[in-house]
Amino acid sequence: MDEPVGSARLELASGVALLHPEDAVLDAMLAGWAKQQRGGRRLQPKTIRDREAVVRRFVVFAEAYPWEWTAGQVDEFMTALIAEEGKAESTIRGYQVALRLFCDFITSPHYRWVEACEERFGTHPVQVCHEWNTAAHLVDVESDPKRRPMTREEVQRLLDFADERVERAVRLRRKGALTAYRDATVFKVIYGWGLRCTEVSKLDTVDFYRNPKAPELGRFGMLQVRYGKRTRGSAPRRRTVASVMPWAVEAVEDYLVNIRPRFASGDHPALWLTERGGRLRPQEIEERFASYRDELGLPSELVPHCLRHSYVTHLIEDGADPKFVQEQVGHRFASTTAIYTGVSTDFMNTMMRKALDRALNNTPDAGPGP
């Protein structure tokens, strides 16, 4: 019978005496697990590396190899992560998931690691992550609750400040005028189309195209997002976003016509270029946003992703259909879009007033009353 990828019989040479058997078997387990994740689950290399790092860190913490692990050691590890390092709930869950999946792999009879450990060490690995010693996943989003949509005033202040930095650089004839103009346009696109940092950084010039239902927007009526957020090891999820903010369309068109040609682009397809002709990275977008945010004295918890939250919130406040907004931002479930939404007090009061007026002015033709 053929051995599955990652099995002990493929990773450990049979009949060979190992100089340091514990370390050799651990390395072989992790190598086999990596192959199993790449082959069967199609996970990304970074995900695999991060999970391996969690396993190795737990080995050091527990001072024990996987075939010696206990559920009590997991409890102690999680306590240390929370009490001593102050890790976020989502980080704790990520650690627990990595350990659980690794234990699933080495305890599965298909991969024969149990047999290999019994043969070499007289014991075998067991699952040490259980329902009673790991956190239950009860909410859709576990990000910092302080993260919120930016208000319309905050968005306007940020975009105005970015434009002012461009004008200042031009007036003083500073070298950074082009990059400041580019970054100002990047922020407008994140907000104008509700994008994530990675999505906006990987846009190419050809990703905009015409929408026959909106001829007035020219070639910028639709935006093809080709690098949407991955889910469970899948390929990037594509989606098409309709342009709904004409002022943002004007900003992109102006950038493409007057600014981007001044970068040393060669034949590079990227929409956002660096001064050296490469593609702008998400980290650079986050750093520039943080710099502007701090100079404006805005709350430190605000990040570029908050502009995406604002896009959702402001469309809902302006009366857009929630299903349309859900499709625009690429959420699979309406509940996720709802979490992104933080409508203002004015909007809530307006909706309340309309509901009260309908109830207080109820007529037989208006449907059931109190």
Side-chain angles (χ1 to χ4, degrees):
M1 182 178 66
D2 292 337
E3 292 290 329
V5 172
S7 72
R9 292 190 177 182
L10 294 179
E11 298 300 324
L12 292 172
S14 104
V16 176
L18 303 175
L19 182 60
H20 301 288
E22 292 84 359
D23 291 334
V25 171
L26 173 62
D27 290 342
M29 283 178 167
L30 289 170
W33 190 37
K35 293 174 183 176
Q36 182 257 356
Q37 292 178 95
R38 283 198 303 270
R41 303 194 61 197
R42 316 297 294 177
L43 297 184
Q44 295 300 302
K46 182 180 184 304
T47 300
I48 297 172
R49 290 195 302 269
D50 290 346
R51 289 179 173 177
E52 178 182 343
V54 171
V55 172
R56 291 192 179 277
R57 181 172 181 183
F58 185 54
V59 168
V60 173
F61 177 87
E63 298 181 346
Y65 290 96
W67 50 91
E68 302 168 330
W69 288 350
T70 67
Q73 291 168 334
V74 174
D75 289 338
E76 295 172 1
F77 186 43
M78 295 304 142
T79 299
L81 292 175
I82 297 171
E84 299 175 13
E85 301 184 27
K87 296 294 187 183
E89 293 179 9
S90 56
T91 302
I92 295 296
R93 189 175 315 286
Y95 279 41
Q96 292 172 349
V97 168
L99 292 176
R100 180 187 293 113
L101 292 176
F102 178 68
C103 288
D104 283 343
F105 169 72
I106 61 176
T107 58
S108 170
H110 300 291
Y111 299 102
R112 301 180 183 272
W113 288 105
V114 169
E115 298 174 17
C117 291
E118 287 179 337
E119 178 183 340
R120 286 173 169 78
F121 311 117
T123 186
H124 60 82
V126 297
Q127 177 59 264
V128 294
C129 293
H130 307 280
E131 183 177 351
W132 47 266
N133 72 337
T134 57
H137 197 168
L138 300 178
V139 296
D140 295 305
V141 175
E142 294 179 324
S143 58
D144 188 341
K146 291 184 293 185
R147 295 279 170 82
R148 58 167 176 79
M150 298 173 68
T151 65
R152 294 176 190 266
E153 180 186 0
E154 288 172 334
V155 172
Q156 192 64 58
R157 287 180 61 196
L158 175 72
L159 299 183
D160 287 346
F161 184 80
D163 287 340
E164 290 169 6
R165 293 299 293 265
V166 177
E167 295 174 3
R168 179 183 178 188
V170 171
R171 185 173 64 253
L172 299 177
R173 298 183 179 180
R174 290 186 175 177
K175 184 179 179 181
L178 290 180
T179 57
Y181 202 114
R182 175 204 65 200
D183 294 339
T185 312
V186 167
F187 296 145
K188 293 171 185 176
V189 169
I190 292 176
Y191 175 68
W193 281 269
L195 304 183
R196 301 177 177 92
C197 260
T198 299
E199 293 172 348
V200 76
S201 73
K202 291 188 176 182
L203 289 178
D204 289 344
T205 57
V206 297
D207 289 332
F208 285 100
Y209 58 95
R210 294 181 181 275
N211 182 352
K213 300 296 183 180
E216 65 271 27
L217 300 181
R219 57 164 290 211
F220 301 97
M222 303 291 285
L223 174 62
Q224 179 73 20
V225 177
R226 293 178 291 117
Y227 290 91
K229 186 177 181 181
R230 301 172 182 267
T231 56
R232 297 185 181 276
S234 68
R237 295 174 58 197
R238 293 175 176 242
R239 73 178 186 277
T240 301
V241 184
S243 304
V244 295
M245 299 185 184
W247 62 266
V249 168
E250 294 175 3
V252 173
E253 185 174 19
D254 182 53
Y255 164 80
L256 281 171
V257 172
N258 298 310
I259 303 302
R260 188 181 180 279
R262 302 189 183 188
F263 284 90
S265 62
D267 296 327
H268 204 298
L271 180 60
W272 317 111
L273 296 168
T274 65
E275 292 178 312
R276 295 186 178 183
R279 184 184 296 274
L280 185 67
R281 296 179 292 112
Q283 181 181 351
E284 296 173 283
I285 299 173
E286 292 169 354
E287 290 173 352
R288 180 57 67 96
F289 181 94
S291 174
Y292 287 1
R293 175 201 65 203
D294 294 344
E295 289 190 58
L296 283 168
L298 294 173
S300 60
E301 60 265 19
L302 296 179
V303 295
H305 200 74
C306 293
L307 288 171
R308 175 173 159 87
H309 285 238
S310 303
Y311 172 84
V312 172
T313 295
H314 297 162
L315 283 185
I316 295 295
E317 288 184 346
D318 291 340
D321 187 286
K323 179 61 177 177
F324 169 75
V325 178
Q326 178 185 343
E327 294 295 328
Q328 287 280 95
V329 294
H331 288 158
R332 295 178 62 189
F333 305 105
S335 58
T336 307
T337 308
I339 290 171
Y340 269 55
T341 308
V343 294
S344 67
T345 302
D346 288 343
F347 176 80
M348 295 293 289
N349 287 338
T350 300
M351 294 299 101
M352 177 196 69
R353 188 68 260 167
K354 289 182 178 179
L356 287 175
D357 289 344
R358 283 196 298 269
L360 295 174
N361 297 322
N362 186 47
T363 64
D365 294 334

